[in-house]
Amino acid sequence: MQLTPRSGSHCQFKCRQGCTGQVCMALSTAVKAYSPMHIRTLLKEGFKMVKFGLQFKATLENVTNVRPVGEDFRWFLKLKCGSCGEIPDKWQYISLMESTPLKGGRGSASMVQRCKLCSRENSIDILGDTITPYNMEDSETFKTMVQFECRGLEPVDFQPQAGFAAEGAESGTKFPEINLQEKDWTDYDEEAAESVGVYEVTHQFTKR
């Protein structure tokens, strides 16, 4: 089933977002189950500013203060378009170093992108002051490590990679280069004469 716009510049659902029917065509499957009023609500909700928390969980062995390092740290995410539900196959990354202006002089965001399926302009911004280390006492529990402010996007997956650091829980030994791409990391603390590690890394997102 395909939807075609009425004559003029607006689609039959009167999105009022400059839609000429392309968005509603992308939502044609959903139209079979939802009323036009419901579809209008979905389109409107996709442009509200929403905060998502990335919660980190791991088993820590003799280390603490596990954290992302520097403004160039890359958060690799998969992002879903709030308008049409499209999720690109490729990982996308955002960092505090990168900033893109928003339309209409509404500030800036870590990433501003146009959905390839429905052409909506969406954005996601890292809230730098929410970045929090994961400590020994947090081991094996979920803890929010960072929050993202999103308009029209929803983070649905996270891939930790290089750029993390930690310290020996008792010795304070610095471990400045930790890569968590394999979801496990191990090393040896010579000062404390003991093995250290970060194991079974997982995550979940919370919506605020």
Side-chain angles (χ1 to χ4, degrees), residues 57-104:
K57 179 183 176 182
T59 299
L60 304 187
E61 180 187 18
N62 301 318
V63 290
T64 192
N65 198 21
V66 179
R67 63 200 185 278
V69 178
E71 292 194 349
D72 59 345
F73 179 87
R74 294 181 175 183
W75 301 92
F76 284 85
L77 304 167
K78 286 194 174 181
L79 302 166
K80 181 173 75 172
C81 176
S83 292
C84 67
E86 171 72 1
I87 304 174
D89 293 332
K90 294 182 179 180
W91 292 98
Q92 299 172 281
Y93 75 82
I94 54 177
S95 73
L96 287 170
M97 283 190 67
E98 299 181 14
S99 181
T100 304
L102 294 168
K103 271 187 176 181

Side-chain angles (χ1 to χ4, degrees), residues 25-52:
M25 289 173 69
L27 287 169
S28 60
T29 301
V31 172
K32 296 178 183 179
Y34 298 112
S35 67
M37 182 176 293
H38 195 151
I39 296 298
R40 286 200 298 271
T41 301
L42 290 173
L43 291 165
K44 184 177 179 182
E45 290 293 319
F47 281 80
K48 282 187 176 180
M49 192 70 77
V50 181
K51 290 182 181 179
F52 291 92

Side-chain angles (χ1 to χ4, degrees), residues 46-54 75 77 79-80 94 96 100 102 106-113 121-131 144 146-155 205-208:
F47 281 80
K48 282 187 176 180
M49 192 70 77
V50 181
K51 290 182 181 179
F52 291 92
L54 169 58
W75 301 92
L77 304 167
L79 302 166
K80 181 173 75 172
I94 54 177
L96 287 170
T100 304
L102 294 168
R106 294 180 287 115
S108 61
S110 301
M111 175 189 288
V112 179
Q113 67 175 19
E121 184 174 280
N122 304 318
S123 66
I124 179 170
D125 195 39
I126 304 167
L127 301 178
D129 58 355
T130 67
I131 297 175
T144 301
V146 65
Q147 290 183 33
F148 305 111
E149 194 170 63
C150 303
R151 185 184 292 275
L153 288 174
E154 178 182 350
F205 290 101
T206 60
K207 183 178 179 180
R208 298 183 60 189

